[in-house]
C-alpha cells in the first residue's frame, strides 16, 4: 500500500514515519453506544492496511474508545495517532481555548484517555487570532521537547496564521507546523459546515505545494455529495443545500460520473481519489460508517489520476 512519509521529532532529532494516506476518523465515536461499531471499524481498518487514526478531545468519548481498543489489541506500537485540542467546549462554545494552560490541559487529558504517553501528531482544532503565535508555538514546542508529541500541526487555521506561526518558529528555533488539516474536497463549499472551520482555498493549496507540507483533509468526499443521493431538485437536506449546492459542484459531479465507469469505480471514489492525487502530499480523514465503505475508500486510495484528470475534475480544463 502507498504510504506518505511524515516528519517526527524525537529527542530533538527529526525523522520520518510512514503514514497511510487514508486516516480513520473517529468523529462518530461519541458515546458508549458507538463502542462495538467503533471496534469493528478499527479492526477492519487495520486489516485493510491502515495505520493512522484521527481523533480529538472534542469528540465525545472517542479517545477513550480508541485507548481501550489499543489496550485490548496490544497494538499501540503499530498505530499512528493524530489527536486535536484547543476546541471551545460545548458548554461555552464562544470561549477559545488556545492559552498555554488550556492547550496543556487538553493534551494531558487526551494522553490519559488514549492510554499513551505520546501521540505522533497533535493539531490545534480551532484558532483564535487574538492569541499570539508566540505563546502558542512556545507551548507546542515544549510538548515536543517533553516527548509528548511527535509533530505539531493546525486544523482550521487561515493561511496567513500558518505562515506567521512557522515564521516565528523558524526565527526562534522552535518546532514548526509540519502538517495542516483543513476541509478539502472536490466539492466547493458555499460556507464551512461548522463555525470556526476553514476550507482550503487556492492560496492555502499553493502554500502546501510551495512548502511541501502535507495536507490532512477532513470531509474529503464532501459529506457524501458525490454519492448519488443528491440532485439539484432534491432539497430535503438543508445542510447539504446550504453548503454544497452550486452550479460548479453539479458540473464536477457530472465529470466524476463520466470518469468513474472508465476506472470501474463510483463517483464517490473518484472524489476521494481527487483529494489523494494532489501535486503535494495529501491525506484524507474518512468517516466510514461500515466495513463496506472502508473497502471502497481503500480501493479509491489506490487510484492514480493524471494531473490533467485532476485539473479537469476541478473544472480547470
Amino acid at each position: 500500500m502507498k504510504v506518505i512519509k511524515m516528519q517526527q521529532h524525537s529527542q530533538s532529532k527529526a525523522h520520518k514515519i510512514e503514514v497511510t494516506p487514508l486516516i480513520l476518523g473517529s468523529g462518530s465515536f461519541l458515546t458508549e453506544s458507538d463502542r462495538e461499531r467503533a471496534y469493528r471499524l478499527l479492526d477492519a481498518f487495520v486489516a485493510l492496511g491502515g495505520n493512522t487514526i484521527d481523533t480529538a478531545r472534542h469528540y465525545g468519548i472517542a479517545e477513550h474508545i480508541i485507548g481501550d481498543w489499543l489496550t485490548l489489541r496490544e497494538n499501540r506500537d503499530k498505530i499512528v495517532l493524530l489527536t486535536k485540542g484547543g476546541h471551545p467546549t460545548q458548554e461555552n462554545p464562544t470561549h477559545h481555548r488556545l492559552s498555554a494552560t488550556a492547550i496543556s490541559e487538553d493534551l494531558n487529558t487526551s494522553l490519559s484517555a488514549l492510554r499513551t504517553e505520546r501521540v505522533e501528531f497533535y493539531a490545534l482544532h480551532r484558532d483564535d487570532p487574538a492569541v499570539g503565535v508566540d505563546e502558542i508555538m512556545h507551548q507546542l514546542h515544549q510538548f515536543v521537547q517533553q516527548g509528548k508529541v511527535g509533530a505539531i500541526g493546525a486544523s482550521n487555521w487561515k493561511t496567513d496564521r500558518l505562515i506567521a506561526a512557522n515564521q516565528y518558529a523558524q526565527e526562534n528555533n522552535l518546532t514548526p507546523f509540519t502538517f495542516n488539516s483543513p476541509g478539502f474536497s472536490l466539492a466547493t463549499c458555499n460556507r464551512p459546515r461548522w463555525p470556526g472551520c476553514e476550507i482550503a482555498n487556492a492560496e492555502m493549496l499553493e502554500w502546501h505545494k510551495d512548502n511541501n507540507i502535507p495536507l490532512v483533509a477532513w470531509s474529503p468526499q464532501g459529506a457524501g455529495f458525490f454519492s448519488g443521493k443528491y440532485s439539484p431538485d432534491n432539497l430535503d437536506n438543508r445542510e447539504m443545500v446550504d453548503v454544497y449546492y452550486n452550479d460548479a459542484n453539479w458540473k464536477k459531479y457530472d465529470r466524476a460520473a463520466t470518469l468513474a465507469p472508465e476506472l470501474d469505480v463510483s463517483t464517490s471514489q473518484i472524489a476521494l481519489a481527487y483529494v489523494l492525487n494532489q501535486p503535494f502530499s495529501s491525506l484524507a480523514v474518512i468517516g466510514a460508517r461500515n466495513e463496506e465503505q472502508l473497502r471502497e475508500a481503500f480501493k479509491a486510495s489506490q487510484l492514480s489520476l493524471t494531473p490533467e484528470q485532476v485539473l479537469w475534475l476541478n473544472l480547470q480544463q
Side-chain angles (χ1 to χ4, degrees):
M1 174 176 289
K2 180 175 73 172
V3 295
I4 294 175
K5 293 185 177 181
M6 296 181 65
Q7 186 167 309
Q8 289 281 285
H9 296 272
S10 178
Q11 297 178 344
S12 300
K13 295 181 179 179
H15 64 282
K16 292 184 181 292
I17 62 171
E18 294 185 346
V19 177
T20 49
L22 284 185
I23 299 175
L24 182 62
S26 63
S28 65
F29 302 174
L30 299 175
T31 68
E32 188 61 38
S33 64
D34 299 313
R35 183 179 291 272
E36 290 187 12
R37 177 178 59 84
Y39 282 4
R40 290 195 299 271
L41 283 173
L42 289 162
D43 288 339
F45 179 72
V46 170
L48 286 166
N51 75 342
T52 306
I53 301 168
D54 172 273
T55 189
R57 184 86 295 274
H58 189 64
Y59 294 166
I61 66 167
E63 289 178 324
H64 289 278
I65 289 175
I66 293 166
D68 291 345
W69 175 79
L70 290 168
T71 301
L72 286 170
R73 301 297 185 260
E74 299 181 343
N75 62 354
R76 174 66 185 95
D77 60 331
K78 299 177 181 178
I79 300 298
V80 175
L81 291 176
L82 189 167
T83 195
K84 303 181 290 292
H87 195 292
T89 64
Q90 292 181 348
E91 295 77 18
N92 197 352
T94 62
H95 179 69
H96 294 282
R97 290 181 51 78
L98 286 188
S99 68
T101 299
I103 298 173
S104 296
E105 180 182 326
D106 277 0
L107 175 61
N108 290 328
T109 302
S110 290
L111 293 175
S112 177
L114 289 164
R115 300 195 186 188
T116 188
E117 295 180 351
R118 179 180 188 269
V119 290
E120 285 72 24
F121 298 100
Y122 191 68
L124 298 180
H125 209 166
R126 291 290 189 274
D127 190 17
D128 177 10
V131 181
V133 294
D134 52 347
E135 178 179 356
I136 292 171
M137 299 310 286
H138 277 287
Q139 184 58 61
L140 293 177
H141 178 72
Q142 186 177 355
F143 294 158
V144 175
Q145 294 296 102
Q146 292 170 338
K148 294 180 178 181
V149 172
I152 58 172
S155 182
N156 302 303
W157 278 40
K158 293 184 183 297
T159 309
D160 60 347
R161 283 277 282 180
L162 295 169
I163 293 172
N166 273 8
Q167 182 175 342
Y168 183 84
Q170 181 179 8
E171 293 171 350
N172 292 274
N173 198 30
L174 302 175
T175 306
F177 287 146
T178 54
F179 69 97
N180 176 40
S181 184
F184 177 53
S185 74
L186 177 57
T188 301
C189 292
N190 301 320
R191 63 163 176 81
R193 291 180 64 191
W194 301 288
C197 288
E198 289 295 328
I199 308 300
N201 57 18
E203 178 190 14
M204 182 177 287
L205 297 179
E206 195 65 26
W207 178 76
H208 278 278
K209 182 178 178 181
D210 290 345
N211 294 276
N212 195 29
I213 291 178
L215 185 153
V216 180
W218 54 260
S219 287
Q221 292 171 292
F225 178 82
F226 295 93
S227 65
K229 296 189 298 183
Y230 305 103
S231 63
D233 58 348
N234 179 357
L235 308 179
D236 294 341
N237 189 318
R238 195 68 248 172
E239 181 185 50
M240 291 299 296
V241 172
D242 291 346
V243 177
Y244 292 108
Y245 278 35
N246 58 60
D247 290 342
N249 284 346
W250 294 121
K251 291 177 182 178
K252 292 177 183 180
Y253 177 87
D254 289 341
R255 292 194 176 189
T258 298
L259 183 58
E262 297 179 22
L263 300 180
D264 191 29
V265 294
S266 67
T267 49
S268 289
Q269 288 170 307
I270 291 291
L272 183 54
Y274 168 83
V275 170
L276 297 175
N277 280 270
Q278 294 297 309
F280 48 79
S281 296
S282 55
L283 306 92
V285 179
I286 54 172
R289 307 288 297 191
N290 53 57
E291 294 176 38
E292 179 59 30
Q293 290 179 353
L294 274 180
R295 286 189 288 270
E296 291 176 357
F298 271 91
K299 183 177 180 180
S301 73
Q302 303 303 309
L303 294 176
S304 293
L305 302 181
T306 67
E308 293 75 21
Q309 287 172 324
V310 170
L311 291 172
W312 178 76
L313 285 167
N314 198 35
L315 310 183
Q316 293 174 278
Q317 281 192 355

